Amino acid sequence: MQYTEVMIRYGELSTKGKNRKDFINRLASNIQKTLVDWPELEFHPRHDRMHIVLHGAPFEAVDARLKRVFGIQTYSPVVTAEKNLPAIEAKALELMQATFQPGMSFKVNTRRSDHQFEYDTNQLNSLIGDYLFDQMTDLKAEMKHPDLVLRIEVRRDAIYLSNQLLKGAGGMPVGTAGKAVMMLSGGIDSPVASYLALKRGVDIEMVHFFSPPYTTDKALAKAKELTGILANYSGKINFIAVPFAEIQETIKEKLPEGYLMTIQRRFMLRLADLIRAKRHGKAIINGESIGQVASQTLDSMIAINDVTAMPVLRPVVTMDKNEIIALAEKIGTFDLSIAPFEDCCTIFAPPRPKTKPKLDKARLYEQELDIDGLVARALAGIQVMPIYPNQQFLHNKSAEDADLL
Ligand code: ATP
Ligand code: MG
């Protein structure tokens, strides 16, 4: 059925004053960005809800995008009717027929802001209820817990009808919590951590370490493509590729094997922090989960976190792998995450990394390296590119050609 508009209700209503205004403005702009494909849409952000007038745009397609916009609690497709009883009856019937399944119970719930209208709320409830009973078979009335609530709103300009309450993505509009850098590997955990950070309103930029010639173009393409999936939740995400091979080779050559992983991670975090500062981010986010591997024990976190005083956020830190996988499946990153292109950490992973590295030893060993030079050269090789929703990288020609070399 052709809906007239979509009504959007906001999440986290505790936000007040200026914060509330920022929340609404940001949400409106995020929604507009995600719906750019329909220039005919008209947006009306208000204090307590937002209306999108469809002007003929298909609700189903708009719905598929809206589902993923953080900051929306619930939303409803709405039809309008002219202000006379036969028009209301006709639209009510059309709406019910489009959504009703045999055996469902329902009730009519009318509200009126135009008190001049010839019927009051009780009259409309029973008139429309009776009409629907006459026209439809199998319909049951239920006042307490109906399956469908047909909402009728009598406003000055028209009558508004809706009977679906769709669940939004929840969370906060992306951008309301500021900006951070996200350390994205090609694995399962960091894409899920990215999603959770976006959900709390953090605008992220991906930092990805790659190590040619040890890692293939496909590993890089995979991280970019994961970013494309996550961009569905925020519109666009910048992807920052950082060359890491020289650092890994140098560490491997000069330092004791037990500390390879710890020192590599210290360099990753140090570089992520410098990129964060340059790009005005306020935190670093990663996909660590306590005890999952040697680099994610609390002792390892002490030895690695030492290189920055900025907040390092770990959204999946207390989740079990099963829980992380379930979320990865839900957000659509799992299948790509398990594709077998190895990233830089797997390739330089020592056979027996220390699960309890010592901070003073990590600091001491590191002194043997030209830290500033290594960092400066890695930063000089950075490449930044914007990635858009569902952008593909694994199957394009250049990745394929590169693989043949
Ligand atoms: P993931 O599934 O996210 O790869 P993991 O369990 O494989 O996580 P590790 O490889 O130990 O864990 O990495 C821990 C975290 O370090 C990752 O979640 C990610 O935030 C960061 N990280 C690891 N490799 C890279 C990389 N190549 N580029 C950017 N960040 C990385
Ligand atoms: Mg990994």
Side-chain angles (χ1 to χ4, degrees):
M1 100 168 271
Q2 181 57 57
Y3 291 98
T4 323
E5 62 168 59
V6 185
M7 191 180 76
I8 290 173
R9 299 169 201 86
Y10 309 138
E12 308 243 339
L13 282 164
S14 56
T15 48
K16 293 203 181 79
K18 185 178 175 302
N19 283 346
R20 189 184 180 104
K21 214 168 165 190
D22 290 346
F23 181 111
I24 295 168
N25 289 342
R26 180 68 70 146
L27 180 62
S29 114
N30 290 354
I31 289 177
Q32 286 184 32
K33 270 190 250 159
T34 197
L35 299 177
V36 281
D37 293 346
W38 297 279
E40 64 271 38
L41 299 178
E42 208 183 292
F43 299 89
H44 300 283
R46 306 226 164 88
H47 182 70
D48 55 345
R49 19 169 101 168
M50 187 181 310
H51 295 267
I52 305 174
V53 186
L54 290 168
H55 290 302
F59 171 70
E60 293 67 25
V62 167
D63 180 31
R65 304 272 178 94
L66 278 183
K67 261 190 209 351
R68 295 183 172 137
V69 179
F70 294 124
I72 298 179
Q73 201 64 30
T74 59
Y75 58 106
S76 303
V78 178
V79 286
T80 49
E82 284 178 28
K83 294 180 80 171
N84 60 68
L85 192 58
I88 304 171
E89 285 172 346
K91 284 292 180 190
L93 182 61
E94 200 186 340
L95 195 60
M96 288 296 286
Q97 280 169 338
T99 41
F100 175 78
Q101 280 157 23
M104 276 183 165
S105 59
F106 93 113
K107 80 169 183 185
V108 183
N109 185 347
T110 306
R111 286 199 299 178
R112 214 165 60 134
S113 54
D114 174 11
H115 296 279
Q116 313 296 320
F117 190 58
E118 55 182 310
Y119 304 102
D120 68 18
T121 53
N122 288 334
Q123 286 170 321
L124 271 178
N125 284 345
S126 61
L127 282 168
I128 300 299
D130 289 347
Y131 176 79
L132 292 173
F133 270 127
D134 290 345
Q135 300 294 318
M136 296 175 70
T137 48
D138 243 3
L139 201 57
K140 282 186 299 195
E142 158 71 49
M143 292 304 121
K144 276 206 174 133
H145 302 290
D147 299 316
L148 284 176
V149 178
L150 173 62
R151 289 187 173 76
I152 303 179
E153 260 190 74
V154 181
R155 291 191 224 156
R156 235 169 254 293
D157 58 327
I159 311 283
Y160 291 73
L161 302 96
S162 68
N163 69 351
Q164 290 184 75
L165 192 65
L166 304 172
K167 202 163 174 292
M172 310 279 283
V174 174
T176 47
K179 207 169 134 178
V181 292
M182 173 75 220
M183 298 172 68
L184 182 84
S185 70
I188 298 168
D189 308 322
S190 45
V192 172
S194 308
Y195 165 85
L196 292 171
L198 290 168
K199 184 168 186 205
R200 289 310 298 168
V202 184
D203 192 5
I204 54 173
E205 294 192 309
M206 304 303 196
V207 171
H208 176 75
F209 298 95
F210 72 122
S211 299
Y214 307 103
T215 57
T216 60
D217 274 15
K218 287 223 164 165
L220 183 62
K222 175 183 172 183
K224 288 181 183 171
E225 201 155 307
L226 282 168
T227 303
I229 298 176
L230 291 158
N232 280 306
Y233 299 93
S234 73
K236 180 195 88 172
I237 299 178
N238 285 328
F239 184 90
I240 305 167
V242 189
F244 203 55
E246 190 200 349
I247 291 176
Q248 290 185 302
E249 285 168 338
T250 313
I251 293 172
K252 189 162 178 164
E253 189 195 312
K254 300 210 165 142
L255 302 187
E257 193 184 87
Y259 276 78
L260 292 189
M261 190 265 316
T262 310
I263 311 271
Q264 279 183 48
R265 296 296 164 141
R266 285 171 64 92
F267 270 93
M268 279 192 178
L269 191 56
R270 191 177 272 129
L271 284 163
D273 194 28
L274 289 165
I275 294 166
R276 172 205 62 74
K278 233 190 234 171
R279 304 186 68 88
H280 311 291
K282 291 176 181 156
I284 303 153
I285 307 172
N286 69 30
E288 291 176 339
S289 157
I290 302 175
Q292 200 185 82
V293 289
S295 62
Q296 298 172 29
T297 61
L298 292 180
D299 290 284
S300 277
M301 286 183 196
I302 293 173
I304 296 164
N305 219 146
D306 173 54
V307 301
T308 176
M310 292 306 287
V312 178
L313 309 181
R314 301 173 172 90
V316 302
V317 75
T318 58
M319 287 168 72
D320 292 344
K321 195 77 189 186
N322 289 342
E323 296 170 312
I324 301 175
I325 288 175
L327 251 183
E329 281 173 336
K330 183 183 135 189
I331 64 175
T333 53
F334 183 72
D335 290 344
L336 185 53
S337 286
I338 58 172
F341 312 115
E342 291 189 290
D343 81 353
C344 63
C345 302
T346 356
I347 284 172
F348 277 87
R352 284 175 304 279
K354 286 217 178 318
T355 54
K356 290 191 174 183
K358 299 270 176 296
L359 174 57
D360 51 350
K361 281 197 179 163
R363 284 180 179 165
L364 190 74
Y365 291 140
E366 220 177 53
Q367 291 313 311
E368 292 171 31
L369 307 176
D370 167 23
I371 298 177
D372 292 346
L374 287 167
V375 163
R377 285 190 294 280
L379 289 179
I382 276 177
Q383 290 166 18
V384 185
M385 68 181 292
I387 293 183
Y388 296 91
N390 298 325
Q391 207 173 329
Q392 306 259 312
F393 295 91
L394 272 169
H395 300 293
N396 69 13
K397 201 154 177 331
S398 58
E400 226 100 87
D401 287 349
D403 215 37
L404 295 175
L405 293 175

